[in-house]
Amino acid sequence: MAEENYVTLEVAIDDALYERIIHAAANRGQSVSEFVESVLDREVEAALHEEPVEVRDPD
């Protein structure tokens, strides 16, 4: 059996967004974790195909 690895992320979001995430996950029949992982996976895939942006520290 393949070993599964999990990473737990702690993020700060406002209550209104959290309630919307719960509702959206329920609409898809997913747990909040499943929903967030699927959304992040799509966004990461899209971002990896974008032109990189140079980030600079303001001096």
Side-chain angles (χ1 to χ4, degrees), residues 47 49-56:
H49 288 89
E50 296 172 1
E51 193 67 31
V53 175
E54 183 177 342
V55 178
R56 297 181 191 185

Side-chain angles (χ1 to χ4, degrees), residues 14-28:
D14 66 30
D15 290 337
L17 177 56
Y18 184 62
E19 291 299 322
R20 293 183 62 189
I21 291 169
I22 292 169
H23 187 84
N27 280 356
R28 292 197 177 162

Side-chain angles (χ1 to χ4, degrees), residues 5-21:
N5 297 306
Y6 296 95
V7 174
T8 301
L9 300 175
E10 184 174 334
V11 296
I13 56 173
D14 66 30
D15 290 337
L17 177 56
Y18 184 62
E19 291 299 322
R20 293 183 62 189
I21 291 169

Side-chain angles (χ1 to χ4, degrees), residues 16-57:
L17 177 56
Y18 184 62
E19 291 299 322
R20 293 183 62 189
I21 291 169
I22 292 169
H23 187 84
N27 280 356
R28 292 197 177 162
Q30 296 175 313
S31 68
V32 170
S33 293
E34 290 169 327
F35 179 78
V36 170
E37 184 176 359
S38 69
V39 170
L40 286 174
D41 189 47
R42 267 196 318 276
E43 288 300 311
V44 166
E45 191 61 35
L48 290 174
H49 288 89
E50 296 172 1
E51 193 67 31
V53 175
E54 183 177 342
V55 178
R56 297 181 191 185
D57 286 331

